[in-house]
Amino acid sequence: MITSLQIGNTLKSFFTEIGEMSYFAGRFFKELFTKPFEFKELLRQCYNMGNRSLFLVGITGFILGLVFTLQSRPTLMEFGAQSWMPSMVSISIVREIGPVIIALICAGKISSGIGAELGSMRVTEQIDAMEVSGTNPFKYLVVTRIMAATLMIPLLIIFGDAIALFGSALVENLKGDVSFQLYFNKVFNAIEFSDILPATVKSFFFGFAIGLVGSFKGYNCSKGTVGVGEASNSAVVYTSMLLFIIDFIAVFVTDIFFEL
């Protein structure tokens, strides 16, 4: 039976971790604008997170477009509204489904990878060795990874959305004899500025959350090799939860400034 003391300790540890992560984020912004700037490491991390995630994101986006169209097509055909398929699919994917699904995929791959990598460096005392040698490990390891995730996740989301729309167009071409040109003409006629801007802006916050949580869990890892697994696992869990919170806030704010 859960006692009030256990609940109190759980809440205390939760809010303590929130405070520590907020301090960690504040330190990131402080280090971000101070010299020296680790451009080479930033480019290397962008390559690791972006290029090596293209295949996974592409497969995810393609299957997303296929499944979403195949599932929606029978319902629209019942009402004779299959001509609205390109508009419905494009708006749904660009606004909500594409960014959230691809961000969750990236959270599982990138955030867990950052947590495991930094956690391994922490338990093997490589980070301590960098501090002793006069190198700033926070700037070299943390700032570059958070910045790389913030920059690359929006690009991966755009790439995944494009592949998803291609998958949807393929289904329409095979089942409805709709040409690719006609399909994408309807897509571009349906998508407006108010669809693209909020989705793009929130994708930067998704990338920041993925990099921040993964770096925080790995950089503060403890308990030896067991802690590395815990850091990697908790990075995915916390990031996924944070992505849904960010998405809710983004939709709420968008509803205020744009007419949905």
Side-chain angles (χ1 to χ4, degrees):
M1 184 176 179
I2 300 176
T3 64
S4 58
L5 181 60
Q6 290 174 320
I7 296 175
N9 290 334
T10 302
L11 290 175
K12 179 181 178 181
S13 61
F14 174 75
F15 286 112
T16 300
E17 193 157 23
I18 294 268
E20 291 175 351
M21 191 176 297
S22 301
Y23 175 79
F24 193 83
R27 187 180 175 186
F28 160 76
F29 286 109
K30 178 183 177 182
E31 297 282 357
L32 178 63
F33 298 105
T34 58
K35 295 181 179 181
F37 303 111
E38 303 289 351
F39 288 113
K40 289 185 178 180
E41 178 64 13
L42 175 61
L43 291 176
R44 191 177 74 86
Q45 292 301 324
C46 286
Y47 172 80
N48 290 338
M49 296 179 189
N51 184 66
R52 296 182 180 180
S53 301
L54 281 178
F55 181 75
L56 177 62
V57 170
I59 291 296
T60 302
F62 185 69
I63 294 175
L64 174 64
L66 288 178
V67 172
F68 188 47
T69 305
L70 287 172
Q71 292 290 332
S72 303
R73 184 175 174 79
T75 303
L76 292 180
M77 289 183 66
E78 288 183 7
F79 297 95
Q82 57 266 34
S83 61
W84 288 93
M85 178 67 73
S87 302
M88 185 196 72
V89 171
S90 60
I91 292 175
S92 300
I93 288 178
V94 170
R95 277 187 183 180
E96 189 65 26
I97 299 177
V100 172
I101 296 297
I102 294 171
L104 288 172
I105 293 295
C106 292
K109 185 179 189 302
I110 295 175
S111 187
S112 63
I114 294 175
E117 185 180 11
L118 294 185
S120 299
M121 296 182 71
R122 172 62 73 182
V123 299
T124 56
E125 299 182 350
Q126 295 180 50
I127 295 178
D128 298 331
M130 292 178 68
E131 293 176 345
V132 171
S133 63
T135 306
N136 186 347
F138 191 92
K139 175 176 282 292
Y140 185 81
L141 299 175
V142 174
V143 174
T144 54
R145 282 165 172 78
I146 296 178
M147 276 301 300
T150 305
L151 295 174
M152 297 311 299
I153 297 301
L155 297 179
L156 290 172
I157 288 175
I158 293 172
F159 174 74
D161 288 349
I163 298 296
L165 292 177
F166 174 77
S168 176
L170 183 63
V171 173
E172 285 295 285
N173 181 260
L174 296 176
K175 283 187 166 291
D177 293 328
V178 178
S179 67
F180 285 97
Q181 182 178 359
L182 176 60
Y183 184 91
F184 283 103
N185 282 340
K186 290 186 176 182
V187 166
F188 291 124
N189 286 332
I191 296 177
E192 298 179 354
F193 179 76
S194 59
D195 300 319
I196 298 175
L197 179 62
T200 304
V201 171
K202 73 179 179 182
S203 65
F204 283 98
F205 287 96
F206 287 166
F208 177 76
I210 290 171
L212 176 68
V213 176
S215 299
F216 172 76
K217 290 295 183 179
Y219 197 79
N220 297 294
C221 177
S222 60
K223 301 178 183 177
T225 54
V226 177
V228 177
E230 292 179 356
S232 178
N233 181 64
S234 61
V236 177
V237 175
Y238 276 76
T239 303
S240 301
M241 181 179 65
L242 189 56
L243 289 178
F244 284 114
I245 295 174
I246 293 173
D247 185 59
F248 167 74
I249 296 174
V251 171
F252 184 78
V253 173
T254 302
D255 189 42
I256 296 175
F257 291 98
F258 295 95
E259 183 179 355
L260 297 179

